[in-house]
Amino acid sequence: MFYETIHRDRSKLPHDPFKAIVAPRPIGWISTRALDGRINLAPYSFFNGFSSAPPMVGFSSEGWKDSATFAKESGEFVANLATFELRDPMNATSAPLARGANEFEHAGLTMAECQLVAAPRVAESPASLECKVVEIVEIRSRDGAWSGSVLTIGEVVAFHIDEAYIREGRFDTAGAHPLARCGYQEYAAFESVFPLARPKGAGDI
């Protein structure tokens, strides 16, 4: 099947395949604090790491939502690891609450203090990344028009890791049961990993 994006032929595919093909995607559970003290927590499936030295992560918001707005004005955000066990409160934080409403309270989650940023982290999450904003980009299409999406990139300046998930000096990714976003209303959680050594000279871990 050939499917051209511009024509969006629903007779071929009633549902857009993009998010189902670009999957699974890690979820950035982003917490922010506005300068006036308002708190926000929201999940973003357009999230990933972009650099390891220094470590950089970024999330893309469809519009200037609270997460992007608060991160821009404060220069900070926290990326919390969403897990299978936290799937229901994670989902609850995606509700369209009033601007500035506290999703921690709405989802029954605990706010924990960070050390280098003012935004709180999710205490129940196995890992949280304190981030300082380095760049914010209004993503544009090939014709130069703003797509409506805002990419916020931050440098990870500190980690909070539940020691229960540390095994022989490594974070136990599979044991944490990370939650990932797929297409439509589908999610995935994985419980196992497998080793695959890179070719000699292709880089180290």
Side-chain angles (χ1 to χ4, degrees):
M1 176 190 292
F2 176 73
Y3 180 88
E4 194 172 3
T5 307
I6 192 172
H7 295 308
R8 186 66 180 91
D9 188 348
R10 294 181 184 273
S11 67
K12 289 184 176 181
L13 285 174
H15 305 285
D16 191 335
F18 175 65
K19 294 179 181 179
I21 295 172
V22 184
R25 301 183 305 282
I27 296 172
W29 205 6
I30 307 299
S31 50
T32 50
R33 183 191 296 272
L35 293 182
D36 63 7
R38 288 179 297 167
I39 300 296
N40 186 259
L41 175 65
Y44 290 88
S45 68
F46 287 125
F47 167 85
N48 220 313
F50 297 102
S51 170
S52 61
M56 300 271 193
V57 296
F59 68 95
S60 180
S61 168
E62 293 184 345
W64 280 99
K65 296 181 180 178
D66 281 1
S67 298
T69 300
F70 292 179
K72 180 180 181 180
E73 68 176 54
S74 68
E76 304 172 339
F77 66 89
V78 180
N80 305 276
L81 182 63
T83 66
F84 180 75
E85 288 74 14
L86 294 171
R87 64 193 181 281
D88 290 332
M90 182 280 300
N91 191 43
T93 62
S94 68
L97 305 182
R99 190 171 183 84
N102 190 327
E103 285 82 4
F104 280 88
E105 296 175 355
H106 175 73
L109 294 164
T110 307
M111 291 191 297
E113 289 188 5
C114 286
Q115 299 297 313
L116 304 180
V117 304
R121 59 187 174 87
V122 177
E124 292 82 358
S125 175
S128 298
L129 287 60
E130 296 190 23
C131 304
K132 296 281 190 177
V133 174
V134 296
E135 189 171 4
I136 296 179
V137 180
E138 289 189 335
I139 300 174
R140 300 189 178 277
S141 63
R142 57 194 173 95
D143 62 5
W146 179 40
S147 67
S149 293
V150 179
L151 173 63
T152 301
I153 300 173
E155 181 176 337
V156 181
V157 295
F159 297 84
H160 293 267
I161 303 173
D162 186 335
E163 293 187 8
Y165 295 93
I166 296 178
R167 303 281 189 273
E168 298 180 352
R170 296 185 179 190
F171 181 74
D172 183 8
T173 306
H177 303 158
L179 197 62
R181 192 72 167 90
C182 298
Y184 319 117
Q185 295 189 37
E186 298 172 344
Y187 289 80
F190 71 90
E191 300 181 354
S192 63
V193 296
F194 63 90
L196 186 63
R198 300 179 69 179
K200 186 176 181 179
D204 201 352
I205 59 173

